[in-house]
Amino acid sequence: MQTEDFIRLEDEYGAHNYHPLDVVIERAEGVWVYDVDGKKYLDCLAAYSAVNQGHCHPKIMQAMLDQARKVTLTSRAFRNDQLPLLYKELHDLTGFEVALPMNSGAEAVETAVKAARKWGYTVKGIPDGQADIIACSNNFHGRTITIVSFSTDAQYRDGFGPFTPGFTIIPYGDTKALIEAITPNTCAFLVEPIQGEAGIVIPRAGFLREAWDACRRNNVLFLADEIQSGLGRTGKLFTYMHEGIKPDMVIIGKALSGGFYPVSAVLSSKEVLGVFKPGDHGSTFGGNPLACAIARASLRALVDEKMVERSAELGLYFLGRLQEIKSPCLKQVRGLGLWIGVEMTGAARPYCERLKEEGILCKETHEHVIRFAPPLVITKDEIDWAVERIKKVIEG
Ligand SMILES: *Cc1c(COP(=O)(O)O)cnc(C)c1O
């Protein structure tokens, strides 16, 4: 079978809820992926930062295979010997007291929303049914009904109502609007430290710290969605660390498994996650031993191979090289760590199509922005290789 045959099958028998580039990937290793015709590409999307550790990382793979031979799923009806170790390692690495494991990122966001509301009622004393959560314009937190209820993107919402009430939107980056939106019934402020899906939108320096201060002064929980921005992507373990703050809850996913398996988690304090009593919340697969063994190996790879430091150093280099590119079609090049948005004056999709022909895979985000987010194991030579081709495509 060839590329066209796979595409035909997919279009014929699948739902069309994505518009992928027409490359059919068969295998991958590190920063490179290979299509069914044997053509090789540099992956500059890294599965939306789920493969920060590089494709098919050998140590994560070994941990997965070893665990798969022992036991994969116990359900939380019983205990397993991997979950406690993951808890301890997450605590040691991040400094958060406790964690709650789920599978997809959206589930972890839902978990954070439930915890924040219950904390609002049982700790803050908000009247029953009145808890409000503040979120930001142009946010992306996932695709469930509750999460799209506070999306400001028409396409994410159109045709999916009725929606979940209890959310207020403020403009991203606007501390004054946040302070004005806080009421005695506000239990939490949910924010992406950098908005990935909105086009690598970096808030003004100081915004996160001001927002965090406002939350503390008003007894409002500060929730950082680090599902895409966390685990090294921006050159720190978490993006909030660039402003020296400590959120009340951090939501992680994606690279928590190095791309092997859906694993997500909410990190927080005993005060906040302590609101959950047995039976309040759960997931059949959440915290399963296979997921935990994979997550443990994924975190170990990040730390042992200094991927966070690599992201900071090589990110600066990549950003500098991309900023050398001159074209009237180029509006702005911005980024932090190995997370770079190249904003064009027109549609970004045709550039992504041309980059694919040159052997680089990336995806437009928010119409005008090309996102470059390679696995953190990329080398300087590979960046140079990429820049040469990106330059050719953008300069035309
Ligand atoms: C990807 C993402 C999610 C949703 O994660 P899924 O695993 O796709 O459910 C939520 N928030 C952010 C910031 C993301 O990038």
Side-chain angles (χ1 to χ4, degrees):
M1 280 191 13
Q2 300 200 316
T3 298
E4 302 71 45
D5 305 315
F6 289 104
I7 292 172
R8 208 173 313 115
L9 282 183
E10 184 170 326
D11 285 351
E12 177 68 20
Y13 297 108
H16 293 191
N17 57 326
Y18 276 92
H19 180 32
L21 288 185
D22 284 336
V23 53
V24 180
I25 296 165
E26 181 186 57
R27 64 192 172 88
E29 190 183 347
V31 296
W32 299 99
V33 300
Y34 301 83
D35 73 9
V36 289
D37 302 324
K39 193 176 169 201
K40 173 179 167 175
Y41 305 85
L42 181 73
D43 182 1
C44 276
L45 180 63
Y48 300 95
S49 296
V51 284
N52 282 359
Q53 297 88 339
H55 287 278
C56 297
H57 189 287
K59 289 189 174 158
I60 308 173
M61 188 179 330
Q62 195 58 53
M64 179 174 187
L65 295 172
D66 290 346
Q67 187 60 43
R69 285 191 196 95
K70 290 189 189 163
V71 59
T72 55
L73 183 60
T74 56
S75 85
R76 297 288 304 278
F78 311 123
R79 298 178 189 266
N80 71 68
D81 70 354
Q82 292 298 308
L83 181 58
L85 300 177
L86 175 61
Y87 281 153
K88 177 68 163 65
E89 288 159 13
L90 278 172
H91 165 78
D92 290 346
L93 182 64
T94 68
F96 284 92
E97 287 179 338
V98 286
L100 194 162
M102 296 296 283
N103 312 286
S104 69
E107 283 175 298
V109 172
E110 290 266 351
T111 301
V113 165
K114 286 173 79 174
R117 283 182 169 184
K118 194 152 190 203
W119 174 88
Y121 299 126
T122 59
V123 180
K124 183 166 174 172
I126 295 172
D128 199 33
Q130 302 294 306
D132 190 63
I133 293 176
I134 300 172
C136 296
S137 54
N138 301 319
N139 70 70
F140 182 81
H141 298 287
R143 302 288 203 160
T144 66
I145 291 288
T146 288
I147 294 171
V148 299
S149 296
F150 54 88
S151 173
T152 58
D153 187 318
Q155 203 199 347
Y156 293 173
R157 295 164 53 91
D158 280 357
F160 299 125
F163 298 108
T164 308
F167 298 95
T168 299
I169 302 294
I170 60 150
Y172 186 61
D174 189 339
T175 317
K176 191 162 159 277
L178 171 63
I179 292 167
E180 283 168 5
I182 292 174
T183 73
N185 291 344
T186 305
C187 62
F189 172 53
L190 172 62
V191 66
E192 297 158 88
I194 287 178
Q195 290 186 325
E197 294 314 300
I200 322 283
V201 177
I202 305 174
R204 158 183 70 73
F207 166 64
L208 293 175
R209 171 164 279 278
E210 289 163 11
W212 180 64
D213 275 336
C215 287
R216 280 199 303 173
R217 279 199 309 277
N218 291 283
N219 199 22
V220 168
L221 300 176
F222 184 101
L223 277 49
D225 180 345
E226 293 261 10
I227 291 170
Q228 192 166 162
S229 61
L231 300 178
R233 177 49 61 190
T234 66
K236 298 242 187 225
L237 184 65
F238 295 119
T239 300
Y240 69 76
M241 292 173 166
H242 288 282
E243 296 219 359
I245 61 171
K246 175 100 192 260
D248 298 290
M249 271 194 258
V250 176
I251 307 161
I252 57 176
K254 293 199 167 112
L256 183 54
S257 72
F260 279 86
Y261 199 84
V263 189
S264 64
V266 174
L267 312 176
S268 188
S269 61
K270 289 182 177 170
E271 175 185 304
V272 174
L273 287 182
V275 300
F276 287 129
K277 302 297 176 225
D280 281 357
H281 186 57
S283 157
T284 302
F285 279 82
N288 75 71
L290 184 61
C292 294
I294 291 168
R296 295 180 60 213
S298 301
L299 294 173
R300 220 175 298 132
L302 269 184
V303 174
D304 289 353
E305 295 170 40
K306 302 210 177 326
M307 292 184 195
V308 183
E309 294 84 344
R310 287 183 69 90
S311 174
E313 193 183 314
L314 291 168
L316 262 183
Y317 178 71
F318 198 2
L319 184 67
R321 295 283 336 257
L322 289 174
Q323 282 169 338
E324 288 167 13
I325 299 175
K326 297 277 173 280
S327 162
C329 307
L330 200 161
K331 202 165 157 196
Q332 193 189 32
V333 180
R334 54 178 179 260
L336 193 60
L338 278 168
W339 211 23
I340 300 171
V342 173
E343 184 167 352
M344 309 303 296
T345 53
R349 174 89 183 192
Y351 294 96
C352 296
E353 304 272 5
R354 256 173 280 149
L355 283 166
K356 186 196 99 183
E357 297 310 313
E358 295 292 327
I360 295 176
L361 293 185
C362 51
K363 190 73 167 63
E364 75 278 7
T365 167
H366 230 257
E367 212 60 40
H368 300 297
V369 182
I370 317 170
R371 163 176 30 200
F372 292 99
L376 309 183
V377 295
I378 194 169
T379 64
K380 192 158 168 283
D381 286 349
E382 286 162 343
I383 290 173
D384 287 335
W385 183 91
V387 169
E388 207 178 295
R389 283 154 183 83
I390 296 165
K391 206 168 177 155
K392 182 173 150 200
V393 165
I394 290 181
E395 291 181 350

